[in-house]
């Protein structure tokens, strides 16, 4: 569903009714800021007031969801447009379900990783082998666990995994899906830096609090040193995936234009 197209359609129909955003907002019972978000494609009208919006604009719900006037269409064309709207809505419902399932999966994956990170931290404090200190495994687990947890909570986990599927040509995606995957990967890049900085600052704060206890600050010092290094590596991986997905999206767009 093209929210920008729908927003432009709402704005055009509102102006045809000679209503300002404030007047339109008062009639349907929302704020003028909400109307502005509708017309810029940032939001869709709530289902509860969808019919009221259509009544004020003198359009049908089908026309609103399609973002165009059906008055010039024949009955057969009208039915086809209505069927297309139903298909799009079903696809979006399925996508929401997939996002929720993926979010739960991301959270579930993060929990055992975070538990392992806590266990390895205790190993560090009590005593650990040189290899564990060298790689600072708890920092890796904390970063990965926190990363997956946030992706799960925000619902970005399925699109993140889709980026890998696209990278290895496991599955083909259309232009709209590729656009969403690219947006998710751009978000993931920012999230990578945020988590890396957060882990670094937590270790620095722990060092500042326990600076007199040399037997304790070792693991935190190691975490402060390696967290930027791991962040750069993960950022490089995500940047490469984003680059490949953008190329795929461009190729997909060209293919659609050729058709």
């Amino acid at each position: 569903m093209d929210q920008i197209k729908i927003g432009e359609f709402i704005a055009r129909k509102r102006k045809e009714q000679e209503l300002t955003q404030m007047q339109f907002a008062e009639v349907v019972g929302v704020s003028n800021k909400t109307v502005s978000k509708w017309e810029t494609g940032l939001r869709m009208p709530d289902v509860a007031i969808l019919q009221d919006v259509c009544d004020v604009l003198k359009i049908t719900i089908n026309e609103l969801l399609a973002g165009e006037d059906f008055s010039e269409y024949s009955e057969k064309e009208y039915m086809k447009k209505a069927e297309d709207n139903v298909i799009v809505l079903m696809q979006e419902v399925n996508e929401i379900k997939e996002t929720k399932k993926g979010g739960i999966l991301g959270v579930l994956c993060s929990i055992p990783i975070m538990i392992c990170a806590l266990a390895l931290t205790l190993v560090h404090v009590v005593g650990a082998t040189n290899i564990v200190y060298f790689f600072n495994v708890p920092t890796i687990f904390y970063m990965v666990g926190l990363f997956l947890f946030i992706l799960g909570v925000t619902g970005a986990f399925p699109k993140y995994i889709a980026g890998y599927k696209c990278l290895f040509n496991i599955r083909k995606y259309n232009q709209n899906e590729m656009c969403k995957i690219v947006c998710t990967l751009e978000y993931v890049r920012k999230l990578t830096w945020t988590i890396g900085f957060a882990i670094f600052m937590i270790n620095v704060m722990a060092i500042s609090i326990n600076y007199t206890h040399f037997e304790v600050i070792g693991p935190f010092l190691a975490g402060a040193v390696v967290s930027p290094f791991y962040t750069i590596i993960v950022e490089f991986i995500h940047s490469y995936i984003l680059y490949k997905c953008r190329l795929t999206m461009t190729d997909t767009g060209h293919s659609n234009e050729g058709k």
Side-chain angles (χ1 to χ4, degrees), residues 36-99:
S36 178
K37 288 180 180 179
W38 292 348
E39 295 184 354
T40 54
L42 295 177
R43 283 183 58 182
M44 284 283 292
D46 293 335
V47 175
I49 62 171
L50 199 59
Q51 187 61 60
D52 293 336
V53 171
C54 292
D55 290 342
V56 173
L57 298 178
K58 292 182 171 50
I59 58 176
T60 66
I61 292 179
N62 276 324
E63 288 175 320
L64 176 65
L65 296 178
E68 59 182 300
D69 198 333
F70 288 0
S71 59
E72 297 180 358
Y73 291 131
S74 64
E75 183 177 350
K76 185 177 180 180
E77 290 173 327
Y78 180 88
M79 292 301 297
K80 179 65 170 60
K81 288 287 185 179
E83 290 173 356
D84 290 343
N85 283 338
V86 172
I87 292 172
V88 170
L89 286 173
M90 290 179 65
Q91 289 174 340
E92 294 194 355
V93 168
N94 289 334
E95 185 174 332
I96 291 171
K97 289 181 179 179
E98 181 183 345
T99 299

Side-chain angles (χ1 to χ4, degrees), residues 171-188:
R171 179 180 169 184
K172 299 293 184 180
Y173 297 93
N174 60 38
Q175 182 75 1
N176 187 44
E177 290 172 327
M178 286 303 306
C179 183
K180 292 178 180 179
I181 292 171
V182 167
C183 289
T184 299
L185 290 172
E186 289 173 345
Y187 161 73
V188 164

Side-chain angles (χ1 to χ4, degrees), residues 4-40:
I4 295 178
K5 182 181 178 182
I6 293 173
E8 292 173 348
F9 182 62
I10 290 174
R12 186 171 72 252
K13 286 297 180 179
R14 172 182 61 78
K15 292 173 183 176
E16 287 179 5
Q17 300 303 317
E18 298 182 350
L19 294 172
T20 65
Q21 284 189 345
M22 180 65 74
Q23 291 170 333
F24 182 40
E26 289 176 355
V27 174
V28 297
V30 297
S31 68
N32 62 319
K33 290 183 178 179
T34 299
V35 173
S36 178
K37 288 180 180 179
W38 292 348
E39 295 184 354
T40 54

Side-chain angles (χ1 to χ4, degrees), residues 147-232:
F147 179 76
L148 291 177
F149 182 80
I150 294 175
L151 288 184
V153 170
T154 58
F157 188 74
K159 290 293 181 291
Y160 174 66
I161 296 300
Y164 285 93
K165 291 180 180 179
C166 177
L167 176 66
F168 295 109
N169 295 318
I170 297 175
R171 179 180 169 184
K172 299 293 184 180
Y173 297 93
N174 60 38
Q175 182 75 1
N176 187 44
E177 290 172 327
M178 286 303 306
C179 183
K180 292 178 180 179
I181 292 171
V182 167
C183 289
T184 299
L185 290 172
E186 289 173 345
Y187 161 73
V188 164
R189 286 187 60 195
K190 297 175 183 177
L191 180 62
T192 301
W193 286 112
T194 302
I195 291 177
F197 180 74
I199 296 295
F200 173 77
M201 290 305 300
I202 289 172
N203 282 289
V204 169
M205 290 175 62
I207 293 170
S208 65
I209 294 172
N210 300 283
Y211 67 93
T212 58
H213 302 84
F214 296 104
E215 72 281 2
V216 176
I217 65 173
F220 297 119
L221 181 61
V225 171
V226 302
S227 56
F229 175 69
Y230 291 148
T231 301
I232 292 172

